[in-house]
Amino acid sequence: MSQPDQLIHEQLWAEKLLREVFSGAVVTEAAPRTGGQLSAVYEVRCADPAHSAIIKVYAGEWAWKQAKEVHVYGLLAAQTTLKVPSVLLHTASGGPDGRAATILSLLDGQPLSEASAQMDATLIPAMYRQMGAALATVHQIGQEAYGYLTNCILDPLPDNGSYMRHQFAKKLREFVDLGGEQELHDAVARRIERDGALFDNCPSARLCHNDLHEGNVLVAQGPHGWQITGVIDVENAIGADPLIDLAKTDYYALGRGEPERTALLEGYGPLPGDSAERLDLYRLYHALELWDWFRSIGTTGPLESIAEDIARLAH
């Protein structure tokens, strides 16, 4: 299909689907959005801006994630003041080629990863301060157990120590299976053997976004400067120690530094006495997990740098 034909095709199916929510919707453009590694994400623009929305179309093997997003966005909308998309419609087969699709309300703003190019670098820490506050809001919601979240906790574990030891063991097996160095594997295993008791200090599982990086935070410039206008993409949500969420935002702040880290933690609020030590362990986990992910999808460019992070954090 030629590019013009593809664009017309996308507008037609998007309009048909969107009319299940807004009967008079006239789609003028279905523009691919950033992100969406496991699904296709479109910003559907309409002649009437009030009808514009986000449509997420799931690859067949990832259709089960639809129920997860509906559940997690519902939790956040009902139990927090955080601005998240509203689920306007979800269908198991109404998308293109009979795929699952979800229509989400369109929030103001653009991803911080894009907007930061327009911003003075001195303004970025303020964005991280707001990101810290957003995470604190997410963590208000408790979970009944530790583990991966869909519309419930899968394979629930009763305490954080059990959960994190299980996760490290899983990621270390993947690391070796994917060709990671045995010496690096052993260094991580020794670190967890030495300091893993810190995991037991988490008193209860909380809802964790588990992917709050600059691409999943929307910002816009208002009368009081740049502000976060919404948080998106809850595909990775888990029930876990809130510090694992903070550590991921910090570790995924690629190219940022101490001002952003300090602002993130300040925005979050009071932390437990062992937070510095626990955060280090969780950064190690995220580095290991990221190495495994990139290697599994054949993205080799960042592997050497991530391996250096693993080696540093394992000591």
Side-chain angles (χ1 to χ4, degrees), residues 261-277:
R261 174 179 294 174
T262 298
L264 175 71
L265 300 182
E266 287 176 351
Y268 187 82
L271 295 171
D274 67 345
S275 61
E277 293 83 2

Side-chain angles (χ1 to χ4, degrees), residues 208-261:
C208 293
H209 183 283
N210 196 34
D211 208 19
L212 196 76
H213 53 70
E214 293 185 21
N216 287 334
V217 174
L218 302 180
V219 300
Q221 194 166 19
H224 303 292
W226 287 91
Q227 299 290 321
I228 287 181
T229 56
V231 169
I232 60 174
D233 195 352
V234 294
E235 283 191 3
N236 288 326
I238 55 176
D241 181 351
L243 293 184
I244 199 172
D245 226 0
L246 274 169
K248 190 164 191 175
T249 298
D250 177 41
Y251 185 68
Y252 277 40
L254 306 177
R256 307 302 181 190
E258 194 56 43
E260 289 77 21
R261 174 179 294 174

Side-chain angles (χ1 to χ4, degrees), residues 26-45:
V26 177
V27 172
T28 58
E29 185 179 8
R33 285 280 291 259
T34 57
Q37 287 182 314
L38 305 182
S39 54
V41 182
Y42 298 89
E43 180 178 336
V44 180
R45 300 165 186 161

